[in-house]
Amino acid sequence: MQGLPTVFLIVTFNFFLLHLAPGDPASVMAGEAGAATPEYMAQLRAQFGLDQPLLMQYLRYVWNVLTLDFGYSFRYQESNLSLIMGRMGATLLLAGSSILLSVGLGTLLGLIAAMRRDRIEAALILLVTVLAYASPIFWLGLMFIVIFAIQLGWVPTSGMTTAGGAGAGAAHWLDVAHHLILPAITLSLFYMALYTRLMRASVLENLRMNYVTTARAKGVAPRRLVLRHVLRNAVLPIVTMAGVQVGGALGGSVVVEAVFGWPGLGQLAFEALFARDLNLLLGILTLSSVVVVLANLLVDLVHSIIDPRVALS
Amino acid sequence: MPPALRRFLRQPAAVAGAVILLAVIGLAAGADLLFPEDPFEMVGRPYLPPMTDGFLLGTDTLGRDLAAGIVHGARVSLLIGVLAALVVTAIGLVVGGIAGYAGGRVDTALMRFTELFQTIPSFLFAIVLVAILEPSLEALLIAIVTVSWAPLARLVRAEVAGLRSRDYVQSAIATGMGDIEVLARQILPNALPAILVAASVMVATAILFESGLSFLGLGDPNVMSWGLMIGAGRAAIRTAWWMCGIPGIAILLTVLSINLVGDGLNEALNPRAGGRA
């Protein structure tokens, strides 16, 4: 995927969305938070050139995004960019750890399900994937809270840090990790199920291939055969899929953040939604899409490292 | 009995899925007979656990009957799921069909456009759309369709492009058959099994999507739905987990049954494919 044109198209798309909303764009952007003073409206009109022809408005909108100007939030008394950047870290931590978790566990479980295909392990793994595939993640999160936070008391029910602070440095990060466990697992389960199925199918397909027969005939030990030869080839579809997951994880984190009170972009989007602050909402959408584009570039890079036949485009 | 049906019935998981799904459809169809009262109506003491005072599934924080909510909620889930899948399939057929059949620049342009929809994080995108459109069933449907048509269009394109290069299609074109006729009579019937399976999975995805949006309070506030029930029960999660638990199980069972039927269809319609990855 060529990154820059995609970002450009997304920005164009957002511009149309802004004009699709009923009403005067200035009042749509200002929201209904009671913050829309006449001065603020005038400022919005000037900043986005709303009194000028549509084409000029569009060019100005693109220019604003290119110069990372996403407007100013009246509610928070802060620029939208710094609001978004302030929350981006928490979301990337949540989405990133859940992607690593789902890729790692999915690869492992898929491998086991393929190698022990006629045993009870494989049946159990398939049962778990089928259930994880069908569960709404927000509900899973709530049920995990009931079991692991309320009943067992193993992990906190919500938030990212203990109120009052758990200390600085390592103590702080341990505290964050403790809060991260449940939301990260919740967000990872759906894709873990997907990777398990993909990996299982991929390993089974590779085991039938000629190179495996050849290696076996040459006396390569079974364990080495799987780890050195099959795994490397079978993992390719997973890497491709992981690129798709980035968008899914960023979107899914909205629900998971709402369930676990995780102070990330999703929560911000939610607050913006209820304040009807469309400008902030579109800023979040644009920057999240940029993250997806960057992640896809990264996936292409990883792909070309694992599989030298793939040329970087 | 047609061979595809026989292959479907030979799979216990698919049959189980079909039975559950039929039960859910039956409940949705008979909602007004089973629970004639408005599911938003307060009918008993609040916080009743399941199986007390004649309430099979108990009551919620406002004394509403959870069983009535489940049965009426089944309608919304199935309605949104089926409608979204139909519209998504229609869009997918048009966009994917044109791209796969025309090839070349048209294909490239359409696929770039499709890619765009796959890049924007879908749940965030859906939230923005609902925010613009104001919460209602139509808004939910538009949002779900807008964020989910892209993968289906890609699938249709891949199928159509693959079939177009086959000899039998090439000879049909060579005999002077029109484009529409080639698409409708030569290509579509052969692409149909894969599209049908994807569409059935789409019903499940749309139901999950709808429940998530309704849970966040972005659904239609005047229509009882499973996501709405979970959102409403959340405040009581420490003392009354079933208010969230039961509607979630309803979603899980419905989505599971549709997925099982989808897997069964795949096995029945593409016997040589050996199952979806």
Side-chain angles (χ1 to χ4, degrees):
Chain A
M1 190 197 312
Q2 301 91 331
L4 216 63
T6 311
V7 173
F8 185 74
L9 279 173
I10 289 168
V11 173
T12 308
F13 200 70
N14 281 351
F15 177 78
F16 281 112
L17 280 180
L18 209 53
H19 283 266
L20 199 76
D24 166 32
S27 59
V28 169
M29 279 193 275
E32 290 164 4
T37 59
E39 293 80 35
Y40 180 50
M41 298 280 278
Q43 186 198 324
L44 272 178
R45 276 181 223 286
Q47 186 197 348
F48 290 91
L50 293 176
D51 42 8
Q52 289 166 16
L54 209 57
L55 182 67
M56 285 305 291
Q57 288 186 36
Y58 170 66
L59 292 177
R60 196 179 277 247
Y61 187 83
V62 172
W63 176 249
N64 281 340
V65 172
L66 286 181
T67 53
L68 293 178
D69 181 357
F70 291 93
Y72 185 82
S73 168
F74 235 75
R75 221 161 81 94
Y76 295 95
Q77 296 290 321
E78 209 179 329
S79 86
N80 283 340
L81 180 68
S82 83
L83 269 175
I84 295 171
M85 282 314 180
R87 301 289 192 99
M88 184 73 98
T91 294
L92 288 184
L93 180 64
L94 174 61
S97 42
S98 82
I99 290 173
L100 289 181
L101 202 63
S102 54
V103 169
L105 267 180
T107 309
L108 186 68
L109 291 178
L111 191 62
I112 296 174
M115 300 311 292
R116 312 248 157 124
R117 56 185 306 192
D118 297 318
R119 306 244 200 114
I120 186 86
E121 294 98 303
L124 278 178
I125 289 171
L126 285 183
L127 181 70
V128 170
T129 63
V130 167
L131 289 178
Y133 225 52
S135 305
I137 55 171
F138 62 91
W139 177 75
L140 270 183
L142 288 171
M143 293 299 111
F144 285 165
I145 288 176
V146 169
I147 298 169
F148 298 107
I150 296 175
Q151 298 292 334
L152 296 170
W154 290 352
V155 284
T157 48
S158 80
M160 187 170 165
T161 49
T162 308
H172 168 73
W173 286 110
L174 271 177
D175 188 38
V176 170
H178 196 208
H179 282 79
L180 177 64
I181 297 172
L182 224 44
I185 291 177
T186 305
L187 187 53
S188 70
L189 279 178
F190 179 85
Y191 280 94
M192 184 211 74
L194 187 68
Y195 294 143
T196 303
R197 291 179 85 157
L198 261 180
M199 186 68 188
R200 177 179 171 274
S202 178
V203 168
L204 289 177
E205 195 184 318
N206 271 285
L207 283 177
R208 281 196 298 265
M209 288 197 177
N210 287 335
Y211 78 91
V212 172
T213 317
T214 310
R216 210 176 258 152
K218 284 165 73 180
V220 178
R223 178 174 292 265
R224 191 185 148 84
L225 176 75
V226 169
L227 291 182
R228 287 282 316 250
H229 299 264
V230 175
L231 193 61
R232 196 186 172 115
N233 285 297
V235 87
L236 289 174
I238 306 245
V239 174
T240 310
M241 201 61 209
V244 178
Q245 191 197 348
V246 177
L250 284 177
S253 74
V254 179
V255 200
V256 172
E257 285 177 16
V259 169
F260 289 95
W262 189 261
L265 270 188
Q267 289 276 70
L268 187 66
F270 207 53
E271 290 157 22
L273 173 71
F274 281 97
R276 296 201 43 80
D277 189 342
L278 204 55
N279 212 10
L280 177 54
L281 211 46
L282 285 180
I284 296 172
L285 194 64
T286 307
L287 283 177
S288 307
S289 310
V290 171
V291 170
V292 176
V293 170
L294 290 177
N296 277 309
L297 290 178
L298 191 70
V299 163
D300 284 350
L301 191 72
V302 172
H303 215 147
S304 71
I305 292 172
I306 300 181
D307 187 355
R309 286 170 304 180
V310 178
L312 273 179
S313 53
Chain B
M1 195 166 21
L5 182 62
R6 202 175 322 127
R7 280 196 295 269
F8 185 88
L9 292 176
R10 263 208 304 260
Q11 307 167 66
V15 174
V19 169
I20 300 174
L21 186 57
L22 285 176
V24 176
I25 294 172
L27 282 180
D32 285 332
L33 288 174
L34 290 164
F35 296 93
E37 78 274 23
D38 181 357
F40 283 98
E41 197 80 27
M42 180 177 165
V43 290
R45 228 157 27 89
Y47 288 92
L48 284 179
M51 313 286 246
T52 39
D53 285 6
F55 290 106
L56 184 65
L57 302 177
T59 57
D60 73 356
T61 55
L62 299 172
R64 298 180 291 205
D65 187 354
L66 282 176
I70 292 290
V71 169
H72 282 270
R75 291 184 155 185
V76 181
S77 288
L78 291 178
L79 183 74
I80 294 273
V82 170
L83 282 180
L86 282 177
V87 180
V88 161
T89 309
I91 298 175
L93 279 176
V94 172
V95 176
I98 294 176
Y101 191 78
R105 275 201 197 148
V106 177
D107 183 22
T108 312
L110 281 176
M111 283 303 107
R112 280 317 296 268
F113 185 65
T114 312
E115 212 170 67
L116 180 67
F117 282 79
Q118 289 187 300
T119 306
I120 306 177
S122 56
F123 207 85
L124 269 176
F125 192 13
I127 285 181
V128 173
L129 287 171
V130 174
I132 290 174
L133 298 167
E134 304 289 337
S136 66
L137 282 187
E138 293 81 18
L140 274 181
L141 193 62
I142 293 174
I144 294 173
V145 167
T146 309
V147 303
S148 19
W149 64 271
L152 210 115
R154 291 188 88 93
L155 174 91
V156 174
R157 177 203 166 264
E159 288 283 322
V160 171
L163 289 167
R164 194 191 190 282
S165 58
R166 296 277 186 85
D167 288 341
Y168 78 94
V169 177
Q170 290 299 322
S171 53
I173 296 172
T175 56
M177 202 184 249
D179 289 340
I180 302 286
E181 211 184 342
V182 171
L183 260 174
R185 296 203 15 207
Q186 308 290 333
I187 292 181
L188 262 189
N190 288 299
L192 212 54
I195 295 168
L196 208 62
V197 171
S200 73
V201 175
M202 186 59 231
V203 178
T205 317
I207 289 177
L208 283 177
F209 229 102
E210 185 273 336
S211 72
L213 289 170
S214 297
F215 166 72
L216 291 177
L218 299 174
D220 191 327
N222 304 312
V223 180
M224 186 55 83
S225 75
W226 294 337
L228 184 86
M229 292 172 76
I230 298 177
R234 216 185 137 186
I237 191 134
R238 282 179 181 274
T239 48
W241 67 270
W242 63 86
M243 290 180 200
C244 291
I246 291 169
I249 293 170
I251 301 173
L252 173 63
L253 279 179
T254 308
V255 172
L256 179 65
S257 68
I258 296 169
N259 283 341
L260 291 177
V261 169
D263 284 352
L265 278 180
N266 191 34
E267 204 71 37
L269 298 173
N270 314 311
R272 255 171 275 157
R276 199 154 41 105

